[in-house]
Amino acid sequence: MGLLRTITSYLTEKVDKNVSPNDTNRLITNSIVAITSVLFYLLFGIIGVLNENYLLALILGLAAAISLLAYYFLFDASKIDLFSNVILTISAVVFLYCFATGGAFGTGFLWIFPFPIIAIAIKGLDKGTRFSAFFLVAIIITCV
């Protein structure tokens, strides 16, 4: 519990003190998702390079860079909706690409399962469900 407390206290200190507790929680959730996605994109990008799948590695590297830039430049309560939309859009594009191509291990279908959880965690139940429904439509279009 100490590591999680340290991470949340670090992220909470970055937030302006005049921000409401709801916006603070949203910023912390978005930040944790952004940092975690950067780590996963880099990890699977390295695996893609080792498997000589350079296009996948390039796409995951770009997604990691964009997510990291979004974290640094959009970590502000006034830009919280833009921040969450950028993170969700990047995740949707990467997950769809990995679904269509098979990802690093040929198990690309596994990439689609975390998206609804991420969308609901970032945008809330109502908007997250809508994002997940749009993602489902994109999956259906990709399969056809």
Side-chain angles (χ1 to χ4, degrees), residues 42-58 60 103-105:
L42 289 176
L43 174 69
F44 283 102
I46 291 169
I47 293 171
V49 168
L50 295 176
N51 289 339
E52 297 179 0
N53 190 347
Y54 300 116
L55 182 61
L56 176 66
L58 177 68
L60 291 174
F105 296 114

Side-chain angles (χ1 to χ4, degrees), residues 99-110:
F99 172 74
T101 62
F105 296 114
T107 55
F109 65 92
L110 295 176

Side-chain angles (χ1 to χ4, degrees), residues 82-141:
L82 178 62
F83 182 42
S84 60
N85 290 338
V86 167
I87 297 299
L88 277 179
T89 303
I90 292 168
S91 298
V93 170
V94 168
F95 291 177
L96 277 174
Y97 178 77
C98 290
F99 172 74
T101 62
F105 296 114
T107 55
F109 65 92
L110 295 176
W111 284 80
I112 61 174
F113 295 120
F115 186 80
I117 297 166
I118 292 170
I120 290 172
I122 289 178
K123 295 299 274 183
L125 186 60
D126 187 37
K127 291 180 182 178
T129 304
R130 280 190 245 143
F131 270 92
S132 298
F134 290 135
F135 186 68
L136 177 63
V137 170
I139 291 171
I140 293 170
I141 290 170

